[in-house]
């Protein structure tokens, strides 16, 4: 207590709310009413005050800000960042808020507060310790990162589990080289990064294969599975392999991709390669209504190897649960694009782990091993373009660098690379170069009908080599009517439904926001009205045929997962002639028909956020950026939106300058995971 009194005596120039809890609570209450913080954040501050009424307001404010940062995807709050850019700590400024009635913003509240003062208050508080024994807040020695205890525990566990699995496994170079020769053709001119990835990951219990769209991540992992399974057979074993993805949509895509890739393997290497992909929640056995899973450290998975696709979507808590459920000798391989948006929930695990992956970072021993096993001169590449490292983590990461989907004439590939460069001038050059698969529309205000024309009819990009054109939503609704089966047997209805689902997947409008006229809510209503005006749908207040819906929460009773997309169709019914059913494609390739009344957590999906689109791919994708400055507009968001397109991409700008702003901005989530794994 004396230490705290000394602190306040020294810091009498602090804002009044930092010297008295009740004044701070009143300010936090005004913040919460404005939507600058969540009710949960304020409740945590009040709860901690009730635990320790003598605690400094500086500690309670730090707790509230840490909680709020967690809600925005950060694992912790960095005191240095809070002091250097105070207003970025909150969900502000809301559009249109001006005037003297506004509460003090963080920049005003923290004026005059020094780093040493804030850290001293935290270090002397009974609510804070270094993690052992547990306390509500964790501040490690010589650190400015403040955690809520649960997130600190997750981060420490993930770092420990990954670190333990980085140790190399014994590999017979001659056998591995022979198998790689059966799986890969000899490449003399360029490095075969897919082959190098297989060799690198084969010798470890943890590995990451990252790369942009079309670089062959799925092809590579199928060859890796064939490689490991064949090596196991040589020893008289068969590996138990499990495949998973974060969402049902991503699982369905991986199932389809793996099926084709397995068929291209040499016949004698196709044995025991699984083709069924499940969601992570199903893999671990989620317990409805809890944060717990059936499989955990006490009841591990029955698996020798687990492969997870779209790993950029995995949050820190899910990664901790997955690693805890892995048997100690099992391998884990993560696939994903490190440049995509991070997970919706807190953390950016793949991005943290893959930081600097484009530089290689391989040791002399790793380079020598790769050359022995593949015959490729990767050391020459690293000397010219990469960077040596001594970090064990770098030895477990393979980055694929050649896109088979987007060739030299692909505007989509060129635009994605330009966005990743962070240079708006490079992006604008690509957009002006006349690529056949790119379209750009700058809207003249909110009422510009160019948006409706593109969404209904498709873009004005060039015809594909097969004679196809970019589609809009008119396409699937036209097929819904023209291909309705005359004899409505279940097989005929299933075939019809597959056609409609496939046609709907030919186009998707993506946006950055959820609310407002430029967000999901406003755009879904606007598009539905346009479709209705065009005579393509007939809607009342509720369900109608043709309505596409997105599942927003896992429903274990129905077997539907967050991210699953279905279409509402009218099917024969005994009593009234027709009834509405919503049909969903499942990860195993089957269809699920559901009564609309049984769907509890869904939303219309003519427009979806870029976040929700992760794990999906559409022949024609349109991305709409809003006119106002917003912190969600980042390089990662634009890149992720672009790379959802496989054949055509349309960019819609409500303000031309927002694209440049987004390309310059990066997602930087506060986390200590990378530093824990790269400590000397």
């Amino acid at each position: 207590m004396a230490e705290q009194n000394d602190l306040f005596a020294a810091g009498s120039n602090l804002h009044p709310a930092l010297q008295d809890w009740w004044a701070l609570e009143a300010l936090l209450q005004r913040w919460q009413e404005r939507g600058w913080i969540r009710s949960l954040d304020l409740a945590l501050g009040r709860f901690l005050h009730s635990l320790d009424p003598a605690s400094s307001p500086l500690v309670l404010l730090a707790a509230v800000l840490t909680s709020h940062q967690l809600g925005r995807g950060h694992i912790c709050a960095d005191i240095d960042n809070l002091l250097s850019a105070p207003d970025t700590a909150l969900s502000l400024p809301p559009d249109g808020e001006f005037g003297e009635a506004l509460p003090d913003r963080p920049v005003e509240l923290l004026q005059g507060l020094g780093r040493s003062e804030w850290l001293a208050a935290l270090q002397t508080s009974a609510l804070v310790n270094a993690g052992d024994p547990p306390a509500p807040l964790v501040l490690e020695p010589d650190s400015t990162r403040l955690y809520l205890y649960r997130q600190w525990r997750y981060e420490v566990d993930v770092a420990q589990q990954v670190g333990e699995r980085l140790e190399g496994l014994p590999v017979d170079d001659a056998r591995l080289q022979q198998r790689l020769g059966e799986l890969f053709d000899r490449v003399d001119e360029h490095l075969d990064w897919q082959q190098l990835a297989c060799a690198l990951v084969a010798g470890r219990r943890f590995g990451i294969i990252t790369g942009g769209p079309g670089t062959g991540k799925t092809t590579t992992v199928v060859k890796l599975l064939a490689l490991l399974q064949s090596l196991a057979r040589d020893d008289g074993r068969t590996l138990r392999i499990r495949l998973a993805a974060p969402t049902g949509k991503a699982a369905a895509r991986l199932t389809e991709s793996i099926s084709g890739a397995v068929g291209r393997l040499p016949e004698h290497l196709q044995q025991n390669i699984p083709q069924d992909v499940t969601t992570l929640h199903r893999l671990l056995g989620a317990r409805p209504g809890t944060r717990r899973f059936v499989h955990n450290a006490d009841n591990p998975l029955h698996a020798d190897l687990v492969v997870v696709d779209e790993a950029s979507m995995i949050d820190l808590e899910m990664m901790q649960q997955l690693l805890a459920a892995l048997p100690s000798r099992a391998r884990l391989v993560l696939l994903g694009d490190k440049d995509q948006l991070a997970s919706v929930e807190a953390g950016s695990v793949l991005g943290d782990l893959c930081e600097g992956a484009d530089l290689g970072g391989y040791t002399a021993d790793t380079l020598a091993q790769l050359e022995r096993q593949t015959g490729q001169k990767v050391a020459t590449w690293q000397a010219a373009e990469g960077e040596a490292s001594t970090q064990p983590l770098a030895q477990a990461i393979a980055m694929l660098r050649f896109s088979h989907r987007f060739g030299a004439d692909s505007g989509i590939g060129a635009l994605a690379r330009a966005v990743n460069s962070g240079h708006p001038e490079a992006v604008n050059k690509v957009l002006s170069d006349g690529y056949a698969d790119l379209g750009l529309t700058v809207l003249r205000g909110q009422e510009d009908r160019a948006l409706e024309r593109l969404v209904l009819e498709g873009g004005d990009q060039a015809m594909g080599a097969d004679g196809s054109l970019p589609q809009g939503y008119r396409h699937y609704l036209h097929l819904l009517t023209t291909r309705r089966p005359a004899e409505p047997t279940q097989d005929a209805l299933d075939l019809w439904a597959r056609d409609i689902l496939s046609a709907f997947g030919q186009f998707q409008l993506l946006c950055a926001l959820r609310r407002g006229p430029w967000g999901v809510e406003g755009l879904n209503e606007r598009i539905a009205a346009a479709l209705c005006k065009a005579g393509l749908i007939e809607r009342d207040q509720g369900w109608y045929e043709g309505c596409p819906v997105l599942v927003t929460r896992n429903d274990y009773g129905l077997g539907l997962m967050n991210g699953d997309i279905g279409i509402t169709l009218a099917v024969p019914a005994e009593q009234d002639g027709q009834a509405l059913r919503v049909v969903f494609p499942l990860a195993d390739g089957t269809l699920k028909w559901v009564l609309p009344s049984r769907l509890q957590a869904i939303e219309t999906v003519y427009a979806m956020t870029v976040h929700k689109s992760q794990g999906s791919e559409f022949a024609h994708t349109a991305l709409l950026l809003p006119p106002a400055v917003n912190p969600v507009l980042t390089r990662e968001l634009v890149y992720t939106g672009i790379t959802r397109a496989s054949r055509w991409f349309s960019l819609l700008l409500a303000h031309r300058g927002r694209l440049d702003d987004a390309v310059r901005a990066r997602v930087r989530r506060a986390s200590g995971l990378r530093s824990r794994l790269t400590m000397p």
Side-chain angles (χ1 to χ4, degrees):
M1 191 69 175
E3 291 174 333
Q4 291 181 10
N5 289 335
D6 290 343
L7 171 67
F8 285 120
S12 58
N13 62 331
L14 295 180
H15 190 287
L18 297 183
Q19 302 184 53
D20 176 76
W21 159 249
W22 304 111
L24 176 61
E25 183 190 37
L27 177 61
L28 294 175
Q29 178 69 46
R30 294 196 296 275
W31 281 5
Q32 188 268 319
E33 290 169 355
R34 287 283 174 180
W36 294 0
I37 61 174
R38 304 173 298 171
S39 299
L40 178 64
D41 307 326
L42 176 56
L44 175 66
R46 288 169 170 163
F47 173 68
L48 293 180
H49 177 258
S50 71
L51 289 181
D52 182 18
S55 194
S56 163
L58 292 176
V59 174
L60 301 174
L61 173 64
V64 169
L65 293 178
T66 302
S67 173
H68 188 68
Q69 291 292 80
L70 177 64
R72 301 174 70 196
H74 301 276
I75 297 303
C76 56
D78 191 301
I79 297 300
D80 285 341
N81 290 344
L82 294 179
L83 289 172
S84 62
D87 281 353
T88 63
L90 301 189
S91 298
L92 65 95
D95 292 339
E97 288 205 336
F98 303 99
E100 296 179 359
L102 290 179
D104 285 352
R105 295 157 68 113
V107 68
E108 298 159 320
L109 176 66
L110 298 180
Q111 188 173 11
L113 177 62
R115 177 180 190 259
S116 59
E117 292 174 89
W118 209 349
L119 290 176
L122 291 165
Q123 290 161 352
T124 57
S125 171
L127 297 172
V128 185
N129 72 7
D132 187 20
L137 301 171
V138 176
L139 181 70
E140 294 174 314
D142 302 319
S143 172
T144 60
R145 293 191 298 267
L146 183 67
Y147 297 81
L148 301 182
Y149 177 80
R150 178 182 288 169
Q151 275 60 47
W152 175 82
R153 184 74 264 168
Y154 290 153
E155 186 175 280
V156 170
D157 287 351
V158 168
Q160 180 178 343
Q161 287 269 9
V162 170
E164 289 174 355
R165 294 171 187 275
L166 290 176
E167 185 178 349
L169 298 174
V171 176
D172 185 325
D173 286 345
R175 287 170 57 199
L176 185 60
Q177 185 180 39
Q178 178 187 347
R179 292 292 189 273
L180 288 172
E182 297 174 18
L183 289 163
F184 293 92
D185 295 328
R186 181 73 179 176
V187 177
D188 295 322
E189 294 185 12
H190 305 288
L191 291 179
D192 186 341
W193 286 102
Q194 295 186 12
Q195 185 189 49
L196 290 167
C198 287
L200 192 74
V201 176
R204 287 163 179 80
R205 285 187 294 137
F206 177 82
I208 298 175
I209 300 174
T210 186
T215 52
K217 294 186 290 293
T218 303
T219 300
T220 304
V221 82
V222 167
K223 291 185 177 182
L224 174 66
L225 299 183
L227 171 68
L228 295 176
Q229 198 67 278
S230 67
L231 293 174
R233 279 197 300 271
D234 290 346
D235 297 330
R237 299 181 297 118
T238 300
L239 297 178
R240 296 170 297 178
I241 301 173
R242 302 296 304 274
L243 309 176
T247 67
K249 186 73 173 178
R253 277 194 61 210
L254 183 59
T255 298
E256 183 180 354
S257 299
I258 282 186
S259 177
V262 170
R264 294 190 294 272
L265 290 173
E267 188 172 349
H268 70 286
L269 294 177
Q270 295 182 14
Q271 302 173 47
N272 303 119
I273 307 297
Q275 299 182 35
D276 296 328
V277 185
T278 186
T279 63
L280 280 171
H281 283 81
R282 287 193 180 110
L283 175 72
L284 297 178
R287 297 183 185 274
T290 75
R291 305 170 77 103
R292 299 178 181 176
F293 293 91
V294 171
H295 292 290
N296 50 43
D298 297 324
N299 180 30
L301 289 162
H302 301 293
D304 301 305
L305 168 61
V306 174
V307 176
V308 183
D309 194 18
E310 296 292 349
S312 62
M313 300 169 67
I314 305 176
D315 59 87
L316 181 68
E317 180 178 358
M318 176 57 80
M319 183 61 73
Q320 189 271 342
Q321 301 273 19
L322 173 62
L323 287 164
L326 279 179
S328 59
R329 300 307 302 170
R331 298 171 185 259
L332 175 64
V333 178
L334 304 179
L335 305 180
D337 186 342
K338 68 179 181 64
D339 296 314
Q340 279 190 191
L341 276 171
S343 57
V344 175
E345 302 299 329
S348 55
V349 177
L350 188 71
D352 288 345
L353 296 178
C354 290
E355 184 179 335
D358 52 326
L359 299 177
Y362 302 128
T363 64
D365 287 345
T366 299
L367 294 170
Q369 169 203 329
L370 292 173
E371 183 167 342
R372 287 195 309 271
Q373 294 168 349
T374 69
Q376 299 192 66
K377 305 292 185 182
V378 67
T380 303
W381 170 85
Q382 181 160 285
E385 300 185 39
E387 186 175 293
S389 170
T390 60
Q391 298 297 339
L393 178 59
Q395 317 315 305
I397 301 173
M399 180 173 171
L400 307 181
R401 300 160 191 272
F402 178 76
S403 178
H404 301 273
R405 182 187 308 167
F406 303 129
D409 61 344
S410 168
I412 297 174
L415 186 59
R417 290 189 295 272
V419 167
N420 262 345
S421 75
H423 300 299
E425 58 274 15
V427 174
N428 292 321
K429 181 180 186 305
V430 172
L431 290 171
S432 63
D433 277 350
Y435 282 99
D437 55 350
L438 294 181
L440 173 64
T441 301
V442 179
L443 300 173
R444 297 186 300 274
Q446 190 175 327
E447 302 304 318
D448 193 330
R449 297 296 103 182
L451 172 61
E452 280 83 352
R453 288 194 297 272
L454 186 143
V455 170
L456 268 65
E457 310 299 341
D460 56 2
Q461 292 94 319
M463 181 182 297
D466 60 356
S468 59
L469 289 168
Q471 301 290 347
Y473 288 136
R474 180 184 293 276
H475 175 58
Y476 90 93
L477 291 167
H478 173 71
L479 293 184
L480 187 154
T481 302
T482 58
R483 295 194 181 176
R484 190 185 305 274
E487 297 293 333
T489 64
Q490 191 58 54
D491 286 347
L493 290 173
D494 285 350
L495 182 61
W496 174 55
R498 290 183 191 280
D499 285 345
I500 304 310
L501 288 164
S502 175
F504 181 77
Q506 294 297 298
F507 174 75
Q508 182 64 56
L509 175 65
L510 305 179
C511 54
L513 309 176
R514 287 204 54 78
R515 295 180 176 83
W518 302 104
V520 165
E521 294 175 359
L523 289 169
N524 274 321
E525 175 57 33
R526 179 172 175 176
I527 295 167
L531 293 171
C532 193
K533 183 178 180 180
L536 296 170
I537 61 172
E538 295 181 9
R539 61 171 185 158
D540 298 318
Q541 294 300 311
W543 291 89
Y544 56 90
E545 187 173 36
C547 179
V549 295
L550 174 76
V551 177
T552 59
R553 188 173 64 241
N554 294 340
D555 188 326
Y556 300 100
L558 291 176
L560 297 175
M561 297 291 114
N562 183 7
D564 287 349
I565 292 177
I567 303 289
T568 311
L569 299 175
V571 299
E574 293 182 2
Q575 296 181 353
D576 54 6
Q578 278 193 331
L580 293 178
R581 297 289 187 274
V582 186
V583 61
F584 294 88
L586 300 183
D588 61 5
T590 62
L591 298 178
K592 188 170 191 68
W593 297 81
V594 182
L595 282 168
S597 59
R598 297 188 65 192
L599 297 170
Q600 302 303 312
I602 51 92
E603 61 186 32
T604 306
V605 70
Y606 295 118
M608 72 165 69
T609 61
V610 175
H611 259 300
K612 285 289 187 181
S613 75
Q614 288 182 269
S616 299
E617 180 182 287
F618 311 98
H620 178 203
T621 301
L623 173 64
L624 171 62
L625 299 185
V629 174
N630 194 294
V632 305
L633 297 179
T634 63
R635 183 185 312 171
E636 289 83 359
L637 179 132
V638 177
Y639 171 83
T640 303
I642 294 167
T643 54
R644 297 313 88 203
S646 63
R647 302 188 65 183
W648 297 282
F649 176 73
S650 298
L651 183 61
L652 292 155
L653 301 177
H655 184 289
R656 189 63 182 82
R658 292 296 82 77
L659 176 61
D660 292 356
D661 295 339
V663 170
R664 292 190 186 99
R666 294 212 66 179
V667 173
R668 297 193 181 276
R669 289 189 168 180
S671 162
L673 179 60
R674 176 76 185 186
S675 62
R676 294 185 193 281
L677 283 162
T678 55
M679 288 179 182

